[in-house]
Amino acid sequence: MTAKLGYSLKGRHFISVRDFLPEELRQTLYVAQSLRSRLLMGDRPNIMEGKTLGMIFQKPSLRTVVSFQIAMNQMGGNALYLGPDQISIGKRETTEDIATVLSGYVDGIMARVFGHNVVEDLSKYSRVPVINGLSDFEHPCQALGDMLTVLERKGTLAGLKMTYVGDGNNVANSLAFIAARLGLHISIASPKGFEAKSKVLETAAADAKEFSTGSHIEQLNDPIKAVKDADIIYTDVWASMGQEAEREERKRIFKDYMVTSKMLDAAKSTVMLLHCLPAHYGEEIAEGLSKDARSAIFPQAENRLHAQKGLLALLLS
Ligand code: CP
Ligand code: NVA
């Protein structure tokens, strides 16, 4: 891919996919690919030497915590895990005081929070870049890693059709925003009442128009109709973190939305399966399907590391 270099992302926040222009998203993917190639050749540039990333977690994580920690380590820097019981945002002290104090110690902050307003507030009061490591509204780092995976496997992004089957949640929102900016078409199939918010769909469609990417953004209820001609099928859990009490009820409501081998058969023969993980097999994804030849789910998880290295390199170094 080609990327115009020269856009300065240093010091910027990444709270939403929409914080970056299409060229800036492409530049981040380009730097990620370059760092990944260098890593394969044993070349680990120490561009984070002397730098520390503060990582705030209000929710559990495997991929986000480990991939950010390793990203900083591979580039010669450090990361500091601050768990839910340690700083208790808004309970022990205010978000403003946490951001003000922490940004005096660290060079960047990554936060996984419940309310999107919390990560927005952190960025408002922080003197260093703040990265959204998942909120109830977006998961922009996941979307970056996902696009890196698609790019590696398909060689292109613009013009591909991505179908997201399941809950119109934080992951779906970031995918709609990134698709609109990078020229993928996105079709979201969800049960009635669980669609992506119309504000999200309208915003993504307006972005596609503003940047003339040609992306078509649609929300359907019928998953089989939505996967027709899909290059990518994507799914995520039916009950997100914080919605555990709704899990049983959602299992009933979403039962026709499990991604199965048959559903993959209804898409293009070259279809690629993605899932941000963690997966609930036998719910949103059939048992064994993550190991299907059409699945890129585990390389997708690895790509969180490479995508975030690109992001950290541009924001912090
Ligand atoms: N996909 C993802 O963000 O995984 P974790 O919740 O394990 O970080
Ligand atoms: N939608 C899921 C994504 C997990 C990575 C959640 O918010 O729990």
Side-chain angles (χ1 to χ4, degrees):
M1 79 182 289
T2 54
K4 284 188 200 166
L5 294 178
Y7 296 93
S8 180
L9 287 168
K10 189 169 163 55
R12 294 260 297 274
H13 302 301
F14 189 57
I15 304 303
S16 164
V17 163
R18 299 186 67 247
D19 289 338
F20 282 17
L21 294 167
E23 307 85 274
E24 293 169 339
L25 291 168
R26 281 194 287 271
Q27 188 190 5
T28 309
L29 295 175
Y30 177 81
V31 174
Q33 284 185 314
S34 159
L35 286 168
R36 184 172 197 250
S37 307
R38 289 177 72 172
L39 182 69
L40 286 172
M41 292 185 296
D43 177 14
R44 297 181 178 207
N46 276 337
I47 48 183
M48 290 293 141
E49 198 169 355
K51 293 195 189 287
T52 301
L53 179 72
M55 306 194 295
I56 300 175
F57 280 88
Q58 285 189 321
K59 297 174 177 176
S61 169
L62 168 65
R63 282 144 289 272
T64 305
V65 66
V66 178
S67 57
F68 268 106
Q69 171 86 56
I70 302 296
M72 287 301 289
N73 292 352
Q74 284 186 359
M75 297 189 288
N78 295 305
L80 194 62
Y81 174 82
L82 299 161
D85 300 332
Q86 282 168 287
I87 59 171
S88 302
I89 302 178
K91 291 192 197 111
R92 187 164 184 265
E93 57 189 321
T94 64
T95 309
E96 178 175 349
D97 283 3
I98 290 171
T100 307
V101 173
L102 192 56
S103 60
Y105 299 140
V106 299
D107 303 279
I109 296 172
M110 188 277 294
R112 165 165 288 193
V113 297
F114 283 98
H116 191 68
N117 63 310
V118 174
V119 71
E120 282 181 337
D121 280 352
L122 283 171
S123 69
K124 196 162 137 197
Y125 299 113
S126 167
R127 301 187 301 286
V128 299
V130 176
I131 298 169
N132 180 358
L134 181 146
S135 68
D136 59 359
F137 185 62
E138 273 207 57
H139 197 356
C141 297
Q142 181 66 54
L144 265 186
D146 300 340
M147 291 302 108
L148 188 61
T149 311
V150 175
L151 193 56
E152 277 172 7
R153 299 261 160 155
K154 302 277 183 194
T156 186
L157 295 173
L160 296 178
K161 176 178 173 180
M162 173 162 60
T163 298
Y164 174 94
V165 181
D167 188 26
N169 61 15
N170 46 5
V171 169
N173 293 345
S174 287
L175 287 174
F177 293 146
I178 208 158
R181 285 172 180 248
L182 297 178
L184 293 89
H185 308 298
I186 181 163
S187 186
I188 303 175
S190 324
K192 281 207 165 53
F194 296 87
E195 296 96 341
K197 300 270 174 297
S198 49
K199 181 87 197 304
V200 168
L201 301 168
E202 284 159 18
T203 303
D207 287 348
K209 198 166 168 205
E210 181 185 344
F211 297 112
S212 306
T213 60
S215 297
H216 180 62
I217 318 285
E218 67 174 5
Q219 171 74 61
L220 305 176
N221 297 119
D222 181 349
I224 294 301
K225 204 167 156 193
V227 299
K228 189 174 182 301
D229 297 326
D231 298 285
I232 304 141
I233 295 182
Y234 197 120
T235 191
D236 180 22
V237 291
W238 294 336
S240 286
M241 290 179 275
Q243 298 174 329
E244 288 80 4
E246 296 171 35
R247 186 163 170 197
E248 290 309 312
E249 192 193 348
R250 282 172 176 255
K251 269 161 77 171
R252 278 193 300 280
I253 297 168
F254 282 78
K255 67 177 172 22
D256 297 330
Y257 291 80
M258 183 197 292
V259 175
T260 58
S261 186
K262 207 171 143 208
M263 199 183 275
L264 297 184
D265 293 342
K268 279 192 183 158
S269 60
T270 53
V271 72
M272 174 170 90
L273 174 64
L274 297 179
H275 188 315
C276 58
L277 299 177
H280 292 149
Y281 296 107
E283 292 184 29
E284 77 279 357
I285 179 168
E287 289 289 348
L289 203 61
S290 57
K291 295 183 213 131
D292 189 282
R294 294 166 288 186
S295 164
I297 290 174
F298 296 114
Q300 175 191 10
E302 184 189 316
N303 275 332
R304 288 290 303 278
L305 168 67
H306 306 298
Q308 289 158 195
K309 281 173 77 176
L311 182 67
L312 291 164
L314 287 164
L315 300 187
L316 267 58
S317 73

